[in-house]
Amino acid sequence: RCRFATGVDADELRDLTVPGGQGAAGTVARLRRTVVNAHPSTDFAAAGSAHVTALQSSLISPLVFNDRLVGILAVYHVARSFYGDAHRRLLERVCEQAAAVVHNSALFEQTREDSWTDPMTGLPNTRYMFLHLSRELARAGRGDGEVTFMVLDLDGFKDINDTHGHR
């Protein structure tokens, strides 16, 4: 368990999911504008949490990349009305940079996923199978284990595709 210096338990914030358009975080996502000093309990309530929090103020800013919302960044504090204009300006600058990083990271992950799957079926392709096979062979080699590999070839499958389509 982690407890911040402010006395707020990290579990209060872990896995908090606020539905779109609800709470202060949802308002930021919908309006794409920073919210300063909203009460954090609105986010906890929107997330369905009955937990009573010691947090009293929030600073929430959208992560926007190429006019597309990629997330939000929220910071909370136990003091009421803690955040000011200087905090807002700093968080907005951080969010500009973070939005690009989040976008590029998501794009990288999607590209990597796409490189491992067949676009028509969504099933793993040859590249993925070789990667997986090499991992399994290495793991079996470390533990004196065995690996079984089976290859199937379906005769006449071209006729099925030609008659019924690839999907």
Side-chain angles (χ1 to χ4, degrees):
R1 294 186 74 139
C2 174
R3 188 171 283 280
F4 295 100
T6 60
V8 175
D9 194 323
D11 287 339
E12 284 187 68
L13 305 177
R14 187 172 288 120
D15 299 326
L16 181 67
T17 302
V18 178
Q22 297 182 23
T27 299
V28 168
R30 188 176 72 251
L31 299 178
R32 296 183 183 191
R33 299 214 187 269
T34 300
V35 169
V36 180
N37 291 321
H39 200 283
S41 64
T42 62
D43 287 336
F44 287 96
S49 172
H51 184 74
V52 176
T53 181
L55 300 171
Q56 296 294 312
S57 57
S58 64
L59 179 59
I60 309 169
S61 191
L63 299 172
V64 178
F65 183 79
N66 287 342
D67 293 325
R68 183 172 163 249
L69 182 72
V70 295
I72 63 160
L73 180 60
V75 292
Y76 300 99
H77 202 277
V78 293
R80 188 177 307 266
S81 299
F82 177 78
Y83 298 106
D85 198 47
H87 294 113
R88 179 194 54 79
R89 285 192 310 270
L90 176 62
L91 187 65
E92 287 176 344
R93 296 300 80 77
V94 167
C95 285
E96 287 174 7
Q97 299 299 310
V101 171
V102 168
H103 170 78
N104 290 337
S105 177
L107 184 61
F108 174 81
E109 287 300 316
Q110 184 61 52
T111 301
R112 188 172 71 165
E113 180 70 26
D114 289 347
S115 75
W116 290 342
T117 57
D118 176 76
M120 272 192 284
T121 65
L123 295 172
N125 64 16
T126 305
R127 180 180 293 129
Y128 177 83
M129 298 232 218
F130 278 114
L131 174 69
H132 187 68
L133 179 61
S134 63
R135 285 181 184 162
E136 290 301 314
L137 289 171
R139 188 168 61 125
R142 286 190 304 270
D144 290 327
E146 296 179 6
V147 174
T148 302
F149 185 73
M150 181 185 338
V151 176
L152 299 175
D153 183 21
L154 301 176
D155 290 336
F157 201 71
K158 182 182 180 325
D159 294 337
I160 294 170
N161 283 341
D162 291 345
T163 302
H164 300 287
H166 289 275
R167 293 184 187 262

